[in-house]
Amino acid sequence: MRRREFITVLGGAAVAWPLTARAQQSAMPVIGFLSSASPDGYAIRLHAFRQGLKDTGYVEGQNVAIEYRWPEGQFDRLPALAVDLVRRQVAAILAIGPPAVRALKAQTTTIPIVFAMGEDPVKEGLVVSLNRPSGNVTGFSDFSNQLFAKRLQLLHEFVPAAAALALLVNPKNPNTEPDTRETQAAADALGRQLQVLTASTDRELETAFDAMVQRHIGGLIVGADSVFIDRPEKLPALAARNGVPVIFDRREFPAAGGLMSYGTDTADAYRHCGNYVGRILKGEKPANLPVLQSTKFEFVINLKTAKALGIKLPPGLLAIADEVIE
């Protein structure tokens, strides 16, 4: 082969290779991700989701891409973000919470939707049943929004002499009303006064804790909301500064200095969701994948924080704790 012919062939290969690479890249499946939160508090969950994908053979950036959409607590942005993901014709979507699922269901009946949520998806009208979800939606419920009564009971045992307890919620979250109703019913059953405080910004959080001190509220239940999930260190710091005993829904809070938490392993939920998305990419249908539910519940106590608050823990509570942080 002459030198000029060799250069021509080489040049042709150099042109053809990028085209082939681009074609392969365009064939890479794309997953959508829609949450009402910001990415700040989601590192552990995203790591677990990616691990679930990896267990089925998919690695982000290698053979699958993920399009993230974060409205950062602005629930009114969810419909537009849902439209954007559907227009991009993603292969599947992970949706966090009922508002995100509803926004997506309004736009597509064909793109598979896998959810992670704390609510009952049947009661929310998102699936027909847990065993046979039907349609294009399935996922995992970790019960987080169904455990307010239990958290109230635990808080009551920590501060039995408190005249009043409080529930902190995000007024912008559509789940606030049913969460408040459930907690109020539990408070009525225990004969405890419950005050509802609202916050969706850092300044409003400061105001809420100031109000607790002024009203002599003896303990606080923090709602299951992305505004609070995004602040795993700020909320325990506010509680410590104001001397308020607080129960949270996730282990991250007592690990950062909060008093205690009662909930499920959220990383486990996201790992299962990643597994479901991977299976869907391989051809399985959402309608044939039953909705999964958490089976393990974690009660975590930060003993150092309890001592700082002057709380003498009943031996029975220490005995049932799954983890005691010292």
Side-chain angles (χ1 to χ4, degrees):
M1 181 181 292
R2 297 188 193 131
R3 181 175 180 273
R4 179 174 294 179
E5 291 173 338
F6 174 77
I7 292 173
T8 302
V9 170
L10 181 61
V15 172
W17 181 82
L19 291 174
T20 303
R22 284 197 295 271
Q24 290 175 343
Q25 186 178 17
S26 64
M28 181 185 295
V30 179
I31 301 167
F33 180 99
L34 182 60
S35 168
S36 60
S38 72
D40 297 340
Y42 269 76
I44 294 174
R45 295 163 185 78
L46 289 178
H47 176 77
F49 175 67
R50 295 184 185 113
Q51 183 60 53
L53 278 173
K54 186 177 180 180
D55 292 342
T56 61
Y58 291 96
V59 178
E60 183 180 12
Q62 293 185 16
N63 58 355
V64 69
I66 304 178
E67 288 278 346
Y68 298 95
R69 298 294 181 270
W70 304 96
E72 301 188 347
Q74 300 180 46
F75 288 87
D76 57 349
R77 293 182 58 201
L78 286 171
L81 295 177
V83 169
D84 180 48
L85 287 174
V86 170
R87 283 178 178 171
R88 290 174 181 269
Q89 298 182 336
V90 293
I93 303 173
L94 175 64
I96 313 303
V101 179
R102 290 193 184 94
L104 289 165
K105 285 192 69 175
Q107 300 301 322
T108 179
T109 58
T110 56
I111 297 176
I113 300 167
V114 176
F115 61 73
M117 67 175 64
E119 297 81 2
D120 181 338
V122 177
K123 288 184 178 179
E124 294 288 333
L126 302 175
V127 296
V128 175
S129 72
L130 299 180
N131 290 332
R132 296 181 179 275
S134 183
N136 62 323
V137 179
T138 188
F140 193 103
S141 173
D142 67 5
F143 292 105
S144 184
N145 292 70
Q146 303 170 62
L147 299 174
F148 282 98
K150 180 64 177 180
R151 294 185 191 111
L152 180 70
Q153 178 188 347
L154 289 169
L155 183 62
H156 165 71
E157 293 185 39
F158 265 73
V159 288
L165 302 175
L167 171 67
L168 180 65
V169 294
N170 175 7
K172 298 179 180 179
N173 191 327
N175 294 323
T176 289
E177 183 179 349
D179 291 348
T180 301
R181 188 166 57 246
E182 178 184 341
T183 310
Q184 184 64 63
D188 292 342
L190 288 173
R192 305 301 299 272
Q193 179 186 350
L194 181 72
Q195 298 189 24
V196 179
L197 303 172
T198 61
S200 59
T201 66
D202 285 338
R203 177 171 291 183
E204 289 173 353
L205 283 171
E206 300 269 356
T207 301
F209 274 89
D210 288 343
M212 277 184 276
V213 174
Q214 293 169 5
R215 300 177 191 178
H216 304 288
I217 292 174
L220 173 70
I221 306 163
V222 171
D225 184 271
S226 58
V227 166
F228 311 134
I229 292 172
D230 289 345
R231 293 162 172 81
E233 295 181 353
K234 182 177 181 62
L235 284 168
L238 281 171
R241 191 177 76 197
N242 291 280
V244 179
V246 182
I247 184 166
F248 300 92
D249 66 330
R250 302 167 192 269
R251 183 193 178 279
E252 293 98 304
F253 292 100
L259 176 59
M260 59 178 167
S261 67
Y262 184 78
T264 56
D265 184 350
T266 54
D268 182 58
Y270 280 75
R271 190 162 49 248
H272 280 295
C273 288
N275 184 272
Y276 261 18
V277 170
R279 290 170 63 178
I280 288 169
L281 293 180
K282 290 186 173 183
E284 294 192 54
K285 304 297 183 183
N288 298 329
L289 297 173
V291 175
L292 300 175
Q293 296 177 294
S294 293
T295 57
K296 180 182 177 182
F297 299 87
E298 299 177 323
F299 178 35
V300 181
I301 300 173
N302 188 312
L303 195 58
K304 181 179 179 181
T305 301
K307 291 178 179 177
L309 290 170
I311 296 174
K312 187 176 181 180
L313 299 180
L317 286 178
L318 285 173
I320 65 172
D322 297 284
E323 181 181 359
V324 177
I325 300 173
E326 299 188 43

